[in-house]
Amino acid sequence: MIRLVSEGQINPPVSDAAADYYNAFKAKYPDGNVDQSRITNTIGMLAAAIDAAGTADDVVKIAYELEGMTYDSLWGGQVMMRENDHQAIQNVHIQAHTKEGITFAYDGSEYGVKAIKTIEMASADIRVLMQHEASISAF
């Protein structure tokens, strides 16, 4: 079975809002897929930062609003912009390419990807691990 690692859970849909978004996308772009769900998160976070900054022109002010931001993902869970290195921390899903239990298929086929395992807030502790490894290698 083919496996895929991705940041958004399409199947099964995590909420009615996610299903509605996918259905609206398919109505407008019948040959398209929502297979890069990070784009939805990116645009949503940017819009929230612009709103919080009160401007779409001051990119520095917008950037500061993004630092440390926690955003509720349409695809489930949250996305957090880690303040110290600006990495987006979010759930990562192991998906199976299958036709079983699929609400939204890809490429006009009966197959899609279905989340089979989730790593919560993947890489949230990576900086701590890197610092720990650096201190060990110093000996």
Side-chain angles (χ1 to χ4, degrees):
M1 181 178 288
I2 298 170
R3 301 281 193 262
L4 171 74
V5 177
S6 71
E7 69 288 335
Q9 179 176 326
I10 305 298
N11 290 301
V14 297
S15 67
D16 289 342
D20 291 347
Y21 179 93
Y22 201 102
N23 284 323
F25 181 90
K26 288 300 281 185
K28 188 166 185 173
Y29 306 104
D31 295 330
N33 299 308
V34 179
D35 55 8
Q36 300 296 321
S37 55
R38 74 180 69 93
I39 295 168
T40 308
N41 292 334
T42 302
I43 298 302
M45 288 181 81
L46 179 60
I50 289 170
D51 286 347
T55 178
D57 299 319
D58 186 340
V59 295
V60 173
K61 194 171 183 181
I62 295 166
Y64 279 121
E65 292 297 335
L66 284 165
E67 284 188 344
M69 177 188 283
T70 300
Y71 176 79
D72 291 327
S73 172
L74 178 63
W75 310 111
Q78 293 183 319
V79 181
M80 185 262 298
M81 173 76 72
R82 193 164 48 200
E83 194 167 348
N84 62 344
D85 62 1
H86 302 152
Q87 295 298 304
I89 306 300
Q90 60 191 342
N91 294 346
V92 173
H93 306 281
I94 310 301
Q95 314 248 20
H97 186 256
T98 182
K99 62 181 180 178
E100 296 176 21
I102 297 300
T103 304
F104 299 110
Y106 284 174
D107 302 321
S109 73
E110 58 190 24
Y111 287 84
V113 292
K114 181 180 177 183
I116 57 172
K117 181 166 178 63
T118 299
I119 296 111
E120 300 285 335
M121 298 304 278
S123 298
D125 59 353
I126 194 82
R127 184 167 173 83
V128 173
L129 292 173
M130 291 182 341
Q131 288 173 341
H132 177 67
E133 289 173 7
S135 67
I136 290 172
S137 66
F139 290 102

